[in-house]
Amino acid sequence: MSSTQKRKPARQKVHDSLLEQLHARGSDIDAFIDMVNDYMTLYDAKEKLAKDIKKRGVVFEGVSSVGVNMVKNNPSVKEIVGVNRQMLAILDKLEINTDNSKTGQDDDNGL
């Protein structure tokens, strides 16, 4: 099996990681799992917005309503900020943060 076949896509890793965090705290109930699914929906939207920003840039040339060529702000830039804010709010409600995340490894490593 090649290394690309062994590796899970980033989306699946994020999903699995969030579920592991809930399970480690005994919080893996349907309501919280549904919130993880909402998070993943936002994750998908964020990825599409990021792809659009990468493709078109922060600004792009477009045509105004009166037919004049002009430089326009890419609305994806504003949208990605809102999506990220909502993703962080879900993590906050699930109490998943860097202070209390579980890595699956013992912290007693002698350091």
Side-chain angles (χ1 to χ4, degrees), residues 25-60:
R25 291 196 316 263
S27 299
D28 50 346
I29 61 172
D30 290 342
F32 296 150
I33 291 170
D34 188 52
M35 288 177 73
V36 168
N37 292 331
D38 290 345
Y39 181 93
M40 296 312 300
T41 299
L42 291 167
Y43 178 93
D44 294 338
K46 177 188 68 89
E47 291 299 307
K48 289 176 184 175
L49 291 167
K51 189 179 289 186
D52 179 58
I53 294 167
K54 185 175 183 178
K55 178 181 175 183
R56 294 195 299 168
V58 175
V59 294
F60 63 96

PDB file of all heavy atoms in Angstrom, residues 25-60:
ATOM      1  N   ARG A  25     -13.671  12.701  26.524  1.00  0.00           N
ATOM      2  CA  ARG A  25     -14.303  13.360  27.666  1.00  0.00           C
ATOM      3  C   ARG A  25     -15.661  12.766  27.999  1.00  0.00           C
ATOM      4  O   ARG A  25     -16.392  13.299  28.831  1.00  0.00           O
ATOM      5  CB  ARG A  25     -14.439  14.853  27.378  1.00  0.00           C
ATOM      6  CG  ARG A  25     -13.109  15.578  27.352  1.00  0.00           C
ATOM      7  CD  ARG A  25     -13.270  17.075  27.447  1.00  0.00           C
ATOM      8  NE  ARG A  25     -14.332  17.582  26.610  1.00  0.00           N
ATOM      9  CZ  ARG A  25     -14.169  18.107  25.403  1.00  0.00           C
ATOM     10  NH1 ARG A  25     -12.976  18.186  24.892  1.00  0.00           N
ATOM     11  NH2 ARG A  25     -15.195  18.564  24.719  1.00  0.00           N
ATOM     12  N   GLY A  26     -16.042  11.706  27.300  1.00  0.00           N
ATOM     13  CA  GLY A  26     -17.341  11.100  27.545  1.00  0.00           C
ATOM     14  C   GLY A  26     -18.492  11.971  27.078  1.00  0.00           C
ATOM     15  O   GLY A  26     -19.605  11.866  27.578  1.00  0.00           O
ATOM     16  N   SER A  27     -18.224  12.825  26.109  1.00  0.00           N
ATOM     17  CA  SER A  27     -19.244  13.752  25.613  1.00  0.00           C
ATOM     18  C   SER A  27     -19.736  13.390  24.220  1.00  0.00           C
ATOM     19  O   SER A  27     -20.305  14.230  23.527  1.00  0.00           O
ATOM     20  CB  SER A  27     -18.668  15.181  25.578  1.00  0.00           C
ATOM     21  OG  SER A  27     -18.298  15.598  26.864  1.00  0.00           O
ATOM     22  N   ASP A  28     -19.524  12.152  23.818  1.00  0.00           N
ATOM     23  CA  ASP A  28     -19.891  11.754  22.459  1.00  0.00           C
ATOM     24  C   ASP A  28     -21.355  11.332  22.386  1.00  0.00           C
ATOM     25  O   ASP A  28     -21.688  10.189  22.133  1.00  0.00           O
ATOM     26  CB  ASP A  28     -18.960  10.672  21.919  1.00  0.00           C
ATOM     27  CG  ASP A  28     -18.785   9.498  22.854  1.00  0.00           C
ATOM     28  OD1 ASP A  28     -19.159   9.608  24.037  1.00  0.00           O
ATOM     29  OD2 ASP A  28     -18.274   8.462  22.398  1.00  0.00           O
ATOM     30  N   ILE A  29     -22.238  12.310  22.615  1.00  0.00           N
ATOM     31  CA  ILE A  29     -23.681  12.084  22.537  1.00  0.00           C
ATOM     32  C   ILE A  29     -24.189  12.681  21.219  1.00  0.00           C
ATOM     33  O   ILE A  29     -23.507  13.483  20.578  1.00  0.00           O
ATOM     34  CB  ILE A  29     -24.418  12.695  23.746  1.00  0.00           C
ATOM     35  CG1 ILE A  29     -24.214  14.203  23.798  1.00  0.00           C
ATOM     36  CG2 ILE A  29     -23.970  12.041  25.044  1.00  0.00           C
ATOM     37  CD1 ILE A  29     -25.053  14.910  24.835  1.00  0.00           C
ATOM     38  N   ASP A  30     -25.381  12.284  20.843  1.00  0.00           N
ATOM     39  CA  ASP A  30     -25.923  12.673  19.541  1.00  0.00           C
ATOM     40  C   ASP A  30     -25.924  14.186  19.309  1.00  0.00           C
ATOM     41  O   ASP A  30     -25.593  14.647  18.218  1.00  0.00           O
ATOM     42  CB  ASP A  30     -27.337  12.125  19.361  1.00  0.00           C
ATOM     43  CG  ASP A  30     -27.356  10.610  19.183  1.00  0.00           C
ATOM     44  OD1 ASP A  30     -26.293  10.036  18.859  1.00  0.00           O
ATOM     45  OD2 ASP A  30     -28.434  10.012  19.355  1.00  0.00           O
ATOM     46  N   ALA A  31     -26.300  14.955  20.305  1.00  0.00           N
ATOM     47  CA  ALA A  31     -26.381  16.407  20.135  1.00  0.00           C
ATOM     48  C   ALA A  31     -25.013  16.997  19.802  1.00  0.00           C
ATOM     49  O   ALA A  31     -24.898  17.877  18.938  1.00  0.00           O
ATOM     50  CB  ALA A  31     -26.933  17.059  21.398  1.00  0.00           C
ATOM     51  N   PHE A  32     -23.968  16.517  20.463  1.00  0.00           N
ATOM     52  CA  PHE A  32     -22.621  17.036  20.216  1.00  0.00           C
ATOM     53  C   PHE A  32     -22.049  16.496  18.916  1.00  0.00           C
ATOM     54  O   PHE A  32     -21.322  17.203  18.211  1.00  0.00           O
ATOM     55  CB  PHE A  32     -21.700  16.727  21.387  1.00  0.00           C
ATOM     56  CG  PHE A  32     -22.111  17.407  22.677  1.00  0.00           C
ATOM     57  CD1 PHE A  32     -21.824  16.821  23.890  1.00  0.00           C
ATOM     58  CD2 PHE A  32     -22.776  18.619  22.674  1.00  0.00           C
ATOM     59  CE1 PHE A  32     -22.194  17.434  25.089  1.00  0.00           C
ATOM     60  CE2 PHE A  32     -23.151  19.246  23.856  1.00  0.00           C
ATOM     61  CZ  PHE A  32     -22.855  18.647  25.069  1.00  0.00           C
ATOM     62  N   ILE A  33     -22.388  15.270  18.583  1.00  0.00           N
ATOM     63  CA  ILE A  33     -21.944  14.705  17.303  1.00  0.00           C
ATOM     64  C   ILE A  33     -22.581  15.491  16.154  1.00  0.00           C
ATOM     65  O   ILE A  33     -21.935  15.761  15.140  1.00  0.00           O
ATOM     66  CB  ILE A  33     -22.260  13.202  17.224  1.00  0.00           C
ATOM     67  CG1 ILE A  33     -21.376  12.440  18.225  1.00  0.00           C
ATOM     68  CG2 ILE A  33     -22.072  12.665  15.810  1.00  0.00           C
ATOM     69  CD1 ILE A  33     -21.739  10.987  18.418  1.00  0.00           C
ATOM     70  N   ASP A  34     -23.824  15.909  16.336  1.00  0.00           N
ATOM     71  CA  ASP A  34     -24.486  16.739  15.331  1.00  0.00           C
ATOM     72  C   ASP A  34     -23.761  18.077  15.172  1.00  0.00           C
ATOM     73  O   ASP A  34     -23.628  18.593  14.056  1.00  0.00           O
ATOM     74  CB  ASP A  34     -25.950  16.956  15.706  1.00  0.00           C
ATOM     75  CG  ASP A  34     -26.722  17.641  14.606  1.00  0.00           C
ATOM     76  OD1 ASP A  34     -26.671  17.171  13.451  1.00  0.00           O
ATOM     77  OD2 ASP A  34     -27.390  18.657  14.895  1.00  0.00           O
ATOM     78  N   MET A  35     -23.275  18.625  16.281  1.00  0.00           N
ATOM     79  CA  MET A  35     -22.514  19.873  16.206  1.00  0.00           C
ATOM     80  C   MET A  35     -21.205  19.658  15.437  1.00  0.00           C
ATOM     81  O   MET A  35     -20.764  20.543  14.696  1.00  0.00           O
ATOM     82  CB  MET A  35     -22.242  20.423  17.604  1.00  0.00           C
ATOM     83  CG  MET A  35     -23.475  20.981  18.275  1.00  0.00           C
ATOM     84  SD  MET A  35     -23.171  21.555  19.959  1.00  0.00           S
ATOM     85  CE  MET A  35     -22.267  23.055  19.635  1.00  0.00           C
ATOM     86  N   VAL A  36     -20.593  18.501  15.606  1.00  0.00           N
ATOM     87  CA  VAL A  36     -19.380  18.180  14.836  1.00  0.00           C
ATOM     88  C   VAL A  36     -19.737  18.124  13.356  1.00  0.00           C
ATOM     89  O   VAL A  36     -18.987  18.629  12.509  1.00  0.00           O
ATOM     90  CB  VAL A  36     -18.739  16.860  15.315  1.00  0.00           C
ATOM     91  CG1 VAL A  36     -17.674  16.384  14.336  1.00  0.00           C
ATOM     92  CG2 VAL A  36     -18.151  17.023  16.710  1.00  0.00           C
ATOM     93  N   ASN A  37     -20.878  17.555  13.029  1.00  0.00           N
ATOM     94  CA  ASN A  37     -21.301  17.508  11.627  1.00  0.00           C
ATOM     95  C   ASN A  37     -21.548  18.909  11.078  1.00  0.00           C
ATOM     96  O   ASN A  37     -21.218  19.200   9.922  1.00  0.00           O
ATOM     97  CB  ASN A  37     -22.532  16.617  11.462  1.00  0.00           C
ATOM     98  CG  ASN A  37     -22.197  15.160  11.731  1.00  0.00           C
ATOM     99  OD1 ASN A  37     -21.078  14.707  11.525  1.00  0.00           O
ATOM    100  ND2 ASN A  37     -23.180  14.417  12.211  1.00  0.00           N
ATOM    101  N   ASP A  38     -22.118  19.787  11.898  1.00  0.00           N
ATOM    102  CA  ASP A  38     -22.284  21.189  11.493  1.00  0.00           C
ATOM    103  C   ASP A  38     -20.922  21.826  11.253  1.00  0.00           C
ATOM    104  O   ASP A  38     -20.733  22.581  10.294  1.00  0.00           O
ATOM    105  CB  ASP A  38     -23.036  21.981  12.558  1.00  0.00           C
ATOM    106  CG  ASP A  38     -24.505  21.595  12.659  1.00  0.00           C
ATOM    107  OD1 ASP A  38     -25.020  20.938  11.735  1.00  0.00           O
ATOM    108  OD2 ASP A  38     -25.123  21.947  13.691  1.00  0.00           O
ATOM    109  N   TYR A  39     -19.981  21.540  12.134  1.00  0.00           N
ATOM    110  CA  TYR A  39     -18.617  22.054  11.987  1.00  0.00           C
ATOM    111  C   TYR A  39     -18.037  21.606  10.645  1.00  0.00           C
ATOM    112  O   TYR A  39     -17.414  22.391   9.924  1.00  0.00           O
ATOM    113  CB  TYR A  39     -17.743  21.568  13.147  1.00  0.00           C
ATOM    114  CG  TYR A  39     -16.323  22.071  13.093  1.00  0.00           C
ATOM    115  CD1 TYR A  39     -15.964  23.235  13.754  1.00  0.00           C
ATOM    116  CD2 TYR A  39     -15.336  21.386  12.386  1.00  0.00           C
ATOM    117  CE1 TYR A  39     -14.662  23.709  13.711  1.00  0.00           C
ATOM    118  CE2 TYR A  39     -14.037  21.848  12.336  1.00  0.00           C
ATOM    119  CZ  TYR A  39     -13.700  23.013  13.001  1.00  0.00           C
ATOM    120  OH  TYR A  39     -12.409  23.492  12.938  1.00  0.00           O
ATOM    121  N   MET A  40     -18.254  20.348  10.301  1.00  0.00           N
ATOM    122  CA  MET A  40     -17.696  19.815   9.061  1.00  0.00           C
ATOM    123  C   MET A  40     -18.360  20.445   7.835  1.00  0.00           C
ATOM    124  O   MET A  40     -17.709  20.639   6.810  1.00  0.00           O
ATOM    125  CB  MET A  40     -17.791  18.294   9.029  1.00  0.00           C
ATOM    126  CG  MET A  40     -16.972  17.609  10.111  1.00  0.00           C
ATOM    127  SD  MET A  40     -15.259  18.196  10.293  1.00  0.00           S
ATOM    128  CE  MET A  40     -14.589  17.843   8.675  1.00  0.00           C
ATOM    129  N   THR A  41     -19.633  20.790   7.932  1.00  0.00           N
ATOM    130  CA  THR A  41     -20.295  21.506   6.845  1.00  0.00           C
ATOM    131  C   THR A  41     -19.632  22.859   6.641  1.00  0.00           C
ATOM    132  O   THR A  41     -19.360  23.279   5.506  1.00  0.00           O
ATOM    133  CB  THR A  41     -21.796  21.676   7.152  1.00  0.00           C
ATOM    134  OG1 THR A  41     -22.387  20.377   7.271  1.00  0.00           O
ATOM    135  CG2 THR A  41     -22.504  22.475   6.071  1.00  0.00           C
ATOM    136  N   LEU A  42     -19.342  23.535   7.746  1.00  0.00           N
ATOM    137  CA  LEU A  42     -18.629  24.811   7.666  1.00  0.00           C
ATOM    138  C   LEU A  42     -17.204  24.615   7.148  1.00  0.00           C
ATOM    139  O   LEU A  42     -16.693  25.457   6.400  1.00  0.00           O
ATOM    140  CB  LEU A  42     -18.614  25.495   9.030  1.00  0.00           C
ATOM    141  CG  LEU A  42     -19.972  26.007   9.505  1.00  0.00           C
ATOM    142  CD1 LEU A  42     -19.915  26.381  10.982  1.00  0.00           C
ATOM    143  CD2 LEU A  42     -20.425  27.184   8.666  1.00  0.00           C
ATOM    144  N   TYR A  43     -16.571  23.519   7.529  1.00  0.00           N
ATOM    145  CA  TYR A  43     -15.228  23.196   7.038  1.00  0.00           C
ATOM    146  C   TYR A  43     -15.254  23.106   5.511  1.00  0.00           C
ATOM    147  O   TYR A  43     -14.378  23.656   4.835  1.00  0.00           O
ATOM    148  CB  TYR A  43     -14.762  21.878   7.662  1.00  0.00           C
ATOM    149  CG  TYR A  43     -13.401  21.414   7.195  1.00  0.00           C
ATOM    150  CD1 TYR A  43     -12.253  21.758   7.900  1.00  0.00           C
ATOM    151  CD2 TYR A  43     -13.273  20.624   6.062  1.00  0.00           C
ATOM    152  CE1 TYR A  43     -11.008  21.324   7.474  1.00  0.00           C
ATOM    153  CE2 TYR A  43     -12.034  20.194   5.628  1.00  0.00           C
ATOM    154  CZ  TYR A  43     -10.895  20.549   6.338  1.00  0.00           C
ATOM    155  OH  TYR A  43      -9.660  20.126   5.905  1.00  0.00           O
ATOM    156  N   ASP A  44     -16.253  22.426   4.977  1.00  0.00           N
ATOM    157  CA  ASP A  44     -16.379  22.295   3.522  1.00  0.00           C
ATOM    158  C   ASP A  44     -16.558  23.665   2.866  1.00  0.00           C
ATOM    159  O   ASP A  44     -15.952  23.956   1.828  1.00  0.00           O
ATOM    160  CB  ASP A  44     -17.543  21.382   3.154  1.00  0.00           C
ATOM    161  CG  ASP A  44     -17.319  19.942   3.582  1.00  0.00           C
ATOM    162  OD1 ASP A  44     -16.151  19.530   3.787  1.00  0.00           O
ATOM    163  OD2 ASP A  44     -18.329  19.221   3.741  1.00  0.00           O
ATOM    164  N   ALA A  45     -17.395  24.499   3.468  1.00  0.00           N
ATOM    165  CA  ALA A  45     -17.614  25.846   2.934  1.00  0.00           C
ATOM    166  C   ALA A  45     -16.325  26.654   2.977  1.00  0.00           C
ATOM    167  O   ALA A  45     -15.989  27.361   2.014  1.00  0.00           O
ATOM    168  CB  ALA A  45     -18.714  26.553   3.734  1.00  0.00           C
ATOM    169  N   LYS A  46     -15.586  26.530   4.071  1.00  0.00           N
ATOM    170  CA  LYS A  46     -14.314  27.254   4.203  1.00  0.00           C
ATOM    171  C   LYS A  46     -13.332  26.830   3.121  1.00  0.00           C
ATOM    172  O   LYS A  46     -12.648  27.665   2.513  1.00  0.00           O
ATOM    173  CB  LYS A  46     -13.705  27.007   5.581  1.00  0.00           C
ATOM    174  CG  LYS A  46     -12.331  27.663   5.783  1.00  0.00           C
ATOM    175  CD  LYS A  46     -11.687  27.226   7.081  1.00  0.00           C
ATOM    176  CE  LYS A  46     -11.292  25.794   7.096  1.00  0.00           C
ATOM    177  NZ  LYS A  46      -9.949  25.479   6.611  1.00  0.00           N
ATOM    178  N   GLU A  47     -13.273  25.551   2.847  1.00  0.00           N
ATOM    179  CA  GLU A  47     -12.364  25.052   1.815  1.00  0.00           C
ATOM    180  C   GLU A  47     -12.741  25.599   0.436  1.00  0.00           C
ATOM    181  O   GLU A  47     -11.868  25.967  -0.352  1.00  0.00           O
ATOM    182  CB  GLU A  47     -12.360  23.519   1.800  1.00  0.00           C
ATOM    183  CG  GLU A  47     -11.726  22.907   3.034  1.00  0.00           C
ATOM    184  CD  GLU A  47     -10.270  23.287   3.207  1.00  0.00           C
ATOM    185  OE1 GLU A  47      -9.490  23.101   2.251  1.00  0.00           O
ATOM    186  OE2 GLU A  47      -9.897  23.770   4.287  1.00  0.00           O
ATOM    187  N   LYS A  48     -14.032  25.675   0.141  1.00  0.00           N
ATOM    188  CA  LYS A  48     -14.484  26.227  -1.140  1.00  0.00           C
ATOM    189  C   LYS A  48     -14.169  27.714  -1.240  1.00  0.00           C
ATOM    190  O   LYS A  48     -13.747  28.204  -2.294  1.00  0.00           O
ATOM    191  CB  LYS A  48     -15.978  25.985  -1.326  1.00  0.00           C
ATOM    192  CG  LYS A  48     -16.316  24.535  -1.587  1.00  0.00           C
ATOM    193  CD  LYS A  48     -17.812  24.317  -1.681  1.00  0.00           C
ATOM    194  CE  LYS A  48     -18.116  22.838  -1.835  1.00  0.00           C
ATOM    195  NZ  LYS A  48     -19.559  22.567  -1.822  1.00  0.00           N
ATOM    196  N   LEU A  49     -14.370  28.430  -0.142  1.00  0.00           N
ATOM    197  CA  LEU A  49     -14.045  29.858  -0.130  1.00  0.00           C
ATOM    198  C   LEU A  49     -12.546  30.082  -0.316  1.00  0.00           C
ATOM    199  O   LEU A  49     -12.126  30.959  -1.077  1.00  0.00           O
ATOM    200  CB  LEU A  49     -14.528  30.501   1.169  1.00  0.00           C
ATOM    201  CG  LEU A  49     -16.043  30.599   1.333  1.00  0.00           C
ATOM    202  CD1 LEU A  49     -16.404  30.942   2.772  1.00  0.00           C
ATOM    203  CD2 LEU A  49     -16.631  31.600   0.357  1.00  0.00           C
ATOM    204  N   ALA A  50     -11.739  29.267   0.359  1.00  0.00           N
ATOM    205  CA  ALA A  50     -10.284  29.388   0.230  1.00  0.00           C
ATOM    206  C   ALA A  50      -9.844  29.089  -1.202  1.00  0.00           C
ATOM    207  O   ALA A  50      -8.956  29.764  -1.746  1.00  0.00           O
ATOM    208  CB  ALA A  50      -9.587  28.449   1.213  1.00  0.00           C
ATOM    209  N   LYS A  51     -10.470  28.108  -1.821  1.00  0.00           N
ATOM    210  CA  LYS A  51     -10.155  27.767  -3.210  1.00  0.00           C
ATOM    211  C   LYS A  51     -10.498  28.938  -4.134  1.00  0.00           C
ATOM    212  O   LYS A  51      -9.741  29.272  -5.048  1.00  0.00           O
ATOM    213  CB  LYS A  51     -10.918  26.520  -3.631  1.00  0.00           C
ATOM    214  CG  LYS A  51     -10.493  25.971  -4.978  1.00  0.00           C
ATOM    215  CD  LYS A  51     -11.268  24.721  -5.342  1.00  0.00           C
ATOM    216  CE  LYS A  51     -10.825  23.572  -4.468  1.00  0.00           C
ATOM    217  NZ  LYS A  51     -11.424  22.282  -4.855  1.00  0.00           N
ATOM    218  N   ASP A  52     -11.640  29.588  -3.879  1.00  0.00           N
ATOM    219  CA  ASP A  52     -12.037  30.739  -4.691  1.00  0.00           C
ATOM    220  C   ASP A  52     -11.050  31.890  -4.519  1.00  0.00           C
ATOM    221  O   ASP A  52     -10.670  32.539  -5.498  1.00  0.00           O
ATOM    222  CB  ASP A  52     -13.445  31.200  -4.321  1.00  0.00           C
ATOM    223  CG  ASP A  52     -13.874  32.400  -5.139  1.00  0.00           C
ATOM    224  OD1 ASP A  52     -13.889  32.308  -6.380  1.00  0.00           O
ATOM    225  OD2 ASP A  52     -14.191  33.448  -4.530  1.00  0.00           O
ATOM    226  N   ILE A  53     -10.621  32.125  -3.285  1.00  0.00           N
ATOM    227  CA  ILE A  53      -9.655  33.200  -3.034  1.00  0.00           C
ATOM    228  C   ILE A  53      -8.340  32.893  -3.724  1.00  0.00           C
ATOM    229  O   ILE A  53      -7.717  33.777  -4.330  1.00  0.00           O
ATOM    230  CB  ILE A  53      -9.462  33.426  -1.511  1.00  0.00           C
ATOM    231  CG1 ILE A  53     -10.755  33.952  -0.896  1.00  0.00           C
ATOM    232  CG2 ILE A  53      -8.302  34.375  -1.246  1.00  0.00           C
ATOM    233  CD1 ILE A  53     -10.782  33.905   0.621  1.00  0.00           C
ATOM    234  N   LYS A  54      -7.925  31.643  -3.672  1.00  0.00           N
ATOM    235  CA  LYS A  54      -6.674  31.256  -4.338  1.00  0.00           C
ATOM    236  C   LYS A  54      -6.800  31.427  -5.854  1.00  0.00           C
ATOM    237  O   LYS A  54      -5.867  31.889  -6.513  1.00  0.00           O
ATOM    238  CB  LYS A  54      -6.328  29.817  -3.995  1.00  0.00           C
ATOM    239  CG  LYS A  54      -5.006  29.367  -4.533  1.00  0.00           C
ATOM    240  CD  LYS A  54      -4.651  27.980  -4.057  1.00  0.00           C
ATOM    241  CE  LYS A  54      -3.262  27.607  -4.570  1.00  0.00           C
ATOM    242  NZ  LYS A  54      -2.846  26.295  -4.088  1.00  0.00           N
ATOM    243  N   LYS A  55      -7.961  31.086  -6.398  1.00  0.00           N
ATOM    244  CA  LYS A  55      -8.173  31.164  -7.843  1.00  0.00           C
ATOM    245  C   LYS A  55      -8.304  32.610  -8.331  1.00  0.00           C
ATOM    246  O   LYS A  55      -7.636  33.011  -9.284  1.00  0.00           O
ATOM    247  CB  LYS A  55      -9.431  30.380  -8.218  1.00  0.00           C
ATOM    248  CG  LYS A  55      -9.774  30.419  -9.683  1.00  0.00           C
ATOM    249  CD  LYS A  55     -11.042  29.635  -9.962  1.00  0.00           C
ATOM    250  CE  LYS A  55     -11.457  29.773 -11.422  1.00  0.00           C
ATOM    251  NZ  LYS A  55     -12.716  29.090 -11.678  1.00  0.00           N
ATOM    252  N   ARG A  56      -9.178  33.394  -7.675  1.00  0.00           N
ATOM    253  CA  ARG A  56      -9.465  34.753  -8.149  1.00  0.00           C
ATOM    254  C   ARG A  56      -8.669  35.835  -7.438  1.00  0.00           C
ATOM    255  O   ARG A  56      -8.587  36.957  -7.927  1.00  0.00           O
ATOM    256  CB  ARG A  56     -10.949  35.071  -7.987  1.00  0.00           C
ATOM    257  CG  ARG A  56     -11.837  34.226  -8.858  1.00  0.00           C
ATOM    258  CD  ARG A  56     -13.223  34.771  -8.973  1.00  0.00           C
ATOM    259  NE  ARG A  56     -13.935  34.854  -7.699  1.00  0.00           N
ATOM    260  CZ  ARG A  56     -15.062  35.506  -7.520  1.00  0.00           C
ATOM    261  NH1 ARG A  56     -15.627  36.154  -8.528  1.00  0.00           N
ATOM    262  NH2 ARG A  56     -15.657  35.517  -6.347  1.00  0.00           N
ATOM    263  N   GLY A  57      -8.123  35.520  -6.266  1.00  0.00           N
ATOM    264  CA  GLY A  57      -7.395  36.522  -5.504  1.00  0.00           C
ATOM    265  C   GLY A  57      -8.313  37.298  -4.570  1.00  0.00           C
ATOM    266  O   GLY A  57      -9.525  37.088  -4.540  1.00  0.00           O
ATOM    267  N   VAL A  58      -7.724  38.214  -3.830  1.00  0.00           N
ATOM    268  CA  VAL A  58      -8.479  39.035  -2.886  1.00  0.00           C
ATOM    269  C   VAL A  58      -9.350  40.031  -3.648  1.00  0.00           C
ATOM    270  O   VAL A  58     -10.457  40.356  -3.231  1.00  0.00           O
ATOM    271  CB  VAL A  58      -7.525  39.761  -1.907  1.00  0.00           C
ATOM    272  CG1 VAL A  58      -8.279  40.712  -0.998  1.00  0.00           C
ATOM    273  CG2 VAL A  58      -6.743  38.747  -1.096  1.00  0.00           C
ATOM    274  N   VAL A  59      -8.841  40.505  -4.769  1.00  0.00           N
ATOM    275  CA  VAL A  59      -9.615  41.359  -5.668  1.00  0.00           C
ATOM    276  C   VAL A  59      -9.550  40.749  -7.059  1.00  0.00           C
ATOM    277  O   VAL A  59      -8.626  40.000  -7.377  1.00  0.00           O
ATOM    278  CB  VAL A  59      -9.100  42.820  -5.693  1.00  0.00           C
ATOM    279  CG1 VAL A  59      -9.298  43.493  -4.349  1.00  0.00           C
ATOM    280  CG2 VAL A  59      -7.659  42.888  -6.114  1.00  0.00           C
ATOM    281  N   PHE A  60     -10.538  41.064  -7.878  1.00  0.00           N
ATOM    282  CA  PHE A  60     -10.565  40.546  -9.236  1.00  0.00           C
ATOM    283  C   PHE A  60     -11.213  41.566 -10.156  1.00  0.00           C
ATOM    284  O   PHE A  60     -11.912  42.469  -9.705  1.00  0.00           O
ATOM    285  CB  PHE A  60     -11.306  39.207  -9.299  1.00  0.00           C
ATOM    286  CG  PHE A  60     -12.761  39.294  -8.918  1.00  0.00           C
ATOM    287  CD1 PHE A  60     -13.738  39.432  -9.894  1.00  0.00           C
ATOM    288  CD2 PHE A  60     -13.154  39.235  -7.588  1.00  0.00           C
ATOM    289  CE1 PHE A  60     -15.078  39.519  -9.549  1.00  0.00           C
ATOM    290  CE2 PHE A  60     -14.492  39.301  -7.240  1.00  0.00           C
ATOM    291  CZ  PHE A  60     -15.458  39.449  -8.227  1.00  0.00           C
TER     292      PHE A  60
END
